[in-house]
């Protein structure tokens, strides 16, 4: 079966995913596209002979031309499209964040649990990166002893003028929260944000930030976001255990941006998603619960940025649906 994918949001990452699906991946085709700016969607469709342009995301999701939905629009629009895809019984891959508020994520979880079927996968692509997978295997081998601290540096060369103070947490550190949960196999339970001396190249942005995040077992995750670092896109990680440490292997030279750093991870995440749909399996990648957990940490982080206090992260009970498919 060739999976017919409809894409909602043909901006930067939407077109990048379209190119990988049509250029380097197998088993899928782009059958539909839409964008809030229809002229952009039409332009993208010119290179996609099989794709129909839809006026809205809702119309695209409802179309018989679409087997599965790829949501790559702006974060605040994700909830509406993910809920519509669940209602239509169609698998949906949603770029991070799953949704921008914890309540919106809860509504998605409620809809998926009611469907009693995993239909949603969230775009936390770091889980598919070879270096992160090696680091996880090393932690899980027990060679380091119990993990005590995980250092996670997330450095962007620059950000657009539309990037706000909170985005260092909700748009950037959200990846670090997810990867720390995945590497350590634990939920995050509290966060404290500490702003550093501002980078004078940051146009008044509160940048860099340090975040001290606590896990259920009492281990610490130390996240650094620096989004005006200029020299490149530098992603670092180090796990400190009771009797050893392990470092996230980096590329030979610092990449220019997130696309260059994570291209193989994006390829693997989407290929595995396509393969699961083609075989009728539930997606095995990051779930709605993972998207929710990361968003709740972000909410607490934004509160801490405002108050400089330690803010607890309260998740509530995890539905059984999400116990059966953690990769
Ligand atoms: P972008 O602004 O380049 O593209 C978003 C597109 O969505 C725009 O063309 C916009 O017109 C369209 N859009 C907005 N609202 C819409 C609606 N209601 N219906 C249809 N289209 C709509 O942004 P981007 O950088 O491509 O980011 C898109 C999403 O991908 C964001 O959630 C972002 O956080 C995520 N992202 C993830 C990664 C990653 O590393 N996984 C990297 C970049 C972006
Ligand atoms: C962007 O949206 C991403 O998701 C990138 O992976 C991240 O590094 C960047 O900070 C975000 O703005």
């Amino acid at each position: 079966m060739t999976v017919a994918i409809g894409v909602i949001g043909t901006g930067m990452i939407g077109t990048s995913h379209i190119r990988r699906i049509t250029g380097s991946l197998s088993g899928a085709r782009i059958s539909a596209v839409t964008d809030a700016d229809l002229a952009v969607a039409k332009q993208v469709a010119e290179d996609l002979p099989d794709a129909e342009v839809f006026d809205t995301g809702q119309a695209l999701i409802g179309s018989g031309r679409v087997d599965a939905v790829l949501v790559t629009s702006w974060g605040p629009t994700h909830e509406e499209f993910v809920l519509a895809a669940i209602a239509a019984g169609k698998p949906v891959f949603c770029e991070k964040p799953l949704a921008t508020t914890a309540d919106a994520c809860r509504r998605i979880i409620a809809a998926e649990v009611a469907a009693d079927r995993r239909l949603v996968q969230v775009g936390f692509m770091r889980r598919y990166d070879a270096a992160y997978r090696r680091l996880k295997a090393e932690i899980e081998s027990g060679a380091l002893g119990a993990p005590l601290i995980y250092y996670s540096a997330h450095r962007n060369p620059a950000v657009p003028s539309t990037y706000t103070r909170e985005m260092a947490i909700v748009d950037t550190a959200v990846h670090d929260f997810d990867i720390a949960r995945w590497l350590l196999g634990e939920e995050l339970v509290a966060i404290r944000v500490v702003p550093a001396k501002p980078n004078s190249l940051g146009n008044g942005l509160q940048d860099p930030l340090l975040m001290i995040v606590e896990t259920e077992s009492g281990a610490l995750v130390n996240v650094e976001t620096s989004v005006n670092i200029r020299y490149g896109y530098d992603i670092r990680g180090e796990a400190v255990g009771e009797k050893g440490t392990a470092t996230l292997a980096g590329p030979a030279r610092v990449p220019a941006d997130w696309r260059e750093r994570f291209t193989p991870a994006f390829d693997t995440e989407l290929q595995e998603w396509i393969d699961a749909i083609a075989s009728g399996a539930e997606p095995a990648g990051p779930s709605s619960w993972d998207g929710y957990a990361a968003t709740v940490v972000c909410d607490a982080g934004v509160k801490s940025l405002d108050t400089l206090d330690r803010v607890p992260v309260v998740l509530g009970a995890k539905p059984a649906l999400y116990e059966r498919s953690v990769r």
Side-chain angles (χ1 to χ4, degrees), residues 96 125 154 156 163 171-172 175 233 258:
K96 45 70 55 172
M125 76 298 180
H154 191 156
N156 286 223
Y163 191 95
D171 191 59
T172 297
H175 284 291
Y233 185 75
W258 51 267

Side-chain angles (χ1 to χ4, degrees), residues 43-250:
Q43 200 179 353
V44 169
E46 277 175 17
D47 295 329
L48 302 167
D50 202 21
E52 183 174 336
V53 178
F54 284 82
D55 287 348
T56 65
Q58 299 287 355
L60 176 147
I61 291 165
S63 165
R65 295 180 63 82
V66 171
D67 299 328
V69 182
L70 182 55
V71 177
T72 45
S73 49
W74 296 322
T77 68
H78 291 181
E79 177 193 8
E80 173 195 347
F81 299 133
V82 172
L83 285 174
I86 294 171
K90 296 187 180 180
V92 52
F93 181 100
C94 179
E95 259 310 332
K96 45 70 55 172
L98 172 61
T100 46
T101 68
D103 280 345
C105 293
R106 281 189 204 101
R107 287 189 284 272
I108 290 171
I109 286 176
E112 210 180 17
V113 167
D116 193 26
R117 188 175 149 211
R118 270 209 52 198
L119 286 162
V120 182
Q121 179 163 326
V122 183
F124 288 129
M125 76 298 180
R126 289 184 179 195
R127 296 182 182 210
Y128 297 85
D129 175 72
Y132 275 113
R133 286 184 167 187
R134 280 197 299 275
L135 182 58
K136 183 171 171 64
E138 205 160 347
I139 293 170
E140 287 179 349
S141 75
L144 314 180
L148 304 176
I149 301 177
Y150 180 64
Y151 290 98
S152 194
H154 191 156
R155 300 183 187 141
N156 286 223
V159 284
S161 56
T162 48
Y163 191 95
T164 60
R165 169 176 174 268
E166 294 76 17
M167 284 173 79
I169 298 172
V170 304
D171 191 59
T172 297
V174 64
H175 284 291
D176 302 79
F177 302 149
D178 177 69
I179 206 68
R181 290 178 63 247
W182 180 74
L183 284 171
L184 302 177
E186 294 191 68
E187 294 297 357
L188 307 178
V189 298
I191 179 167
R192 178 166 187 186
V193 179
V194 186
K197 174 180 173 179
N199 184 335
S200 63
L201 305 174
N203 296 326
L205 211 60
Q206 208 156 18
D207 168 62
L209 296 178
L210 278 186
M211 300 165 216
I212 318 256
V213 191
E214 299 163 35
T215 74
E216 285 169 296
S217 74
L220 295 182
V221 177
N222 186 334
V223 177
E224 171 204 325
T225 55
S226 294
V227 297
N228 289 287
I229 210 78
R230 294 297 189 266
Y231 68 87
Y233 185 75
D234 194 5
I235 301 299
R236 299 184 187 204
E238 184 187 15
V240 179
E242 289 177 317
K243 55 179 180 172
T245 68
T247 305
L248 179 74

